[in-house]
Amino acid sequence: MEKYKSDILINLFKKDNRISGFSSDFHIKENILYVKNFHQDVFAFNIEHNRLKWQFTSNWIFRERDTVDEGRTSRSLIYDDNVIYTVNKVQHSTAADVYAFDANTGRILGRRHIEAGASPGRLSASNRNIYVSSNDGRVHAMSKRNLYPVWDVPVRGRVLGALVPYEGRVYAGTQAGGIIGLDEKTGKRVYYYPTRHPIPGTPAIEDGIIYFATNGGSIHAVRLPEDHTSASTDGKN
């Protein structure tokens, strides 16, 4: 019977109890592993030398139960152009904070507070902006690095997956049923495809075709129009 070997790469929790409970997406770039834990702390580990490179410690009170929306902590962490972006739920609050960290040093480059909280905090990046949806049914676009607000617009139904950039637009499925397409520069809706059931996940786009699944148990493949303005019904989101 074949035996599988497993090596413990990082084992620092005995020195610091907060270095545990890793629950986020992982990202590895040039031998640096980036990850976030349940307490919304962010870590960069050097996997070549098995040591901690930098750590961001949130205001989350260790071992204190969250009294608002317990379990809604965000797991989203993305890397883009030497910057780590995360969404951190604020303990005892419905709010969330989007952070931008210098990937080399951990220095905070930008912070954006979303009072309504992130829903559920799935970040994405395009060549232009950083995107996240909020619990009040809005989509937020922020500038890269400093996270200055670019636009935020209401949409029909909450967005639970990440927004997908494609050719100057960003697309997402909504809980109200339907695929929306928003202009990257303005947030104006330029596309809408209705569905009978909610869309819980993140779509994929390849060669002008958007792929997604609905809660009704079906998988769809829809070709996007070349002229997106013709697909807009009323210019509203």
Side-chain angles (χ1 to χ4, degrees):
M1 179 177 179
E2 183 179 1
K3 294 183 179 180
Y4 296 92
K5 181 181 179 181
S6 176
D7 293 326
I8 297 178
L9 184 64
I10 303 292
N11 189 15
L12 301 176
F13 68 89
K14 292 181 180 179
K15 299 179 181 179
D16 185 343
N17 287 331
R18 290 189 73 114
I19 307 182
S20 62
F22 303 117
S23 59
S24 77
D25 303 329
F26 277 48
H27 186 89
I28 297 178
K29 183 72 172 182
E30 297 178 352
N31 288 324
I32 305 298
L33 170 67
Y34 302 94
V35 65
K36 186 171 67 172
N37 69 4
F38 177 84
H39 301 99
Q40 310 295 269
D41 303 332
V42 184
F43 304 88
F45 294 108
N46 186 313
I47 59 177
E48 182 179 4
H49 302 291
N50 293 1
R51 61 178 177 83
L52 181 65
K53 182 177 175 67
W54 58 260
Q55 173 181 350
F56 164 78
T57 302
S58 74
N59 292 326
W60 200 283
I61 301 174
F62 189 60
R63 299 188 187 280
E64 182 171 299
R65 180 177 177 180
D66 189 12
T67 57
V68 179
D69 288 338
E70 184 180 12
R72 196 183 279 274
T73 53
S74 171
R75 300 181 178 185
S76 188
L77 179 149
I78 63 173
Y79 176 99
D80 184 86
D81 193 22
N82 206 40
V83 179
I84 292 293
Y85 298 93
T86 70
V87 180
N88 286 8
K89 182 187 183 300
V90 178
Q91 193 177 24
H92 308 311
S93 170
T94 59
D97 291 318
V98 182
Y99 283 94
F101 301 96
D102 183 291
N104 292 324
T105 66
R107 180 171 65 91
I108 297 175
L109 304 174
R111 174 176 175 258
R112 176 69 174 162
H113 184 74
I114 301 176
E115 189 62 35
S119 169
R122 305 305 304 180
L123 288 166
S124 61
S126 68
N127 291 333
R128 180 182 295 272
N129 298 322
I130 300 297
Y131 304 95
V132 70
S133 61
S134 54
N135 289 327
D136 56 353
R138 301 183 73 87
V139 171
H140 302 255
M142 298 156 281
S143 60
K144 290 189 173 183
R145 301 180 70 86
N146 53 31
L147 298 179
Y148 291 159
V150 178
W151 49 258
D152 74 272
V153 297
V155 295
R156 296 174 180 173
R158 290 170 58 201
V159 174
L160 299 186
L163 287 98
V164 181
Y166 186 76
E167 295 188 349
R169 287 92 178 176
V170 284
Y171 295 88
T174 74
Q175 287 298 94
I179 292 288
I180 57 168
L182 306 176
D183 183 272
E184 278 196 295
K185 294 181 180 179
T186 65
K188 179 181 178 180
R189 196 185 77 187
V190 292
Y191 179 77
Y192 180 71
Y193 179 85
T195 61
R196 294 180 59 187
H197 301 284
I199 301 171
T202 301
I205 303 177
E206 181 71 22
D207 295 330
I209 299 176
I210 186 166
Y211 301 87
F212 59 93
T214 70
N215 282 348
S218 57
I219 297 178
H220 299 251
V222 178
R223 180 168 294 280
L224 298 171
E226 294 184 5
D227 182 5
H228 290 69
T229 57
S230 64
S232 179
T233 56
D234 54 12
K236 298 180 181 179
N237 294 303

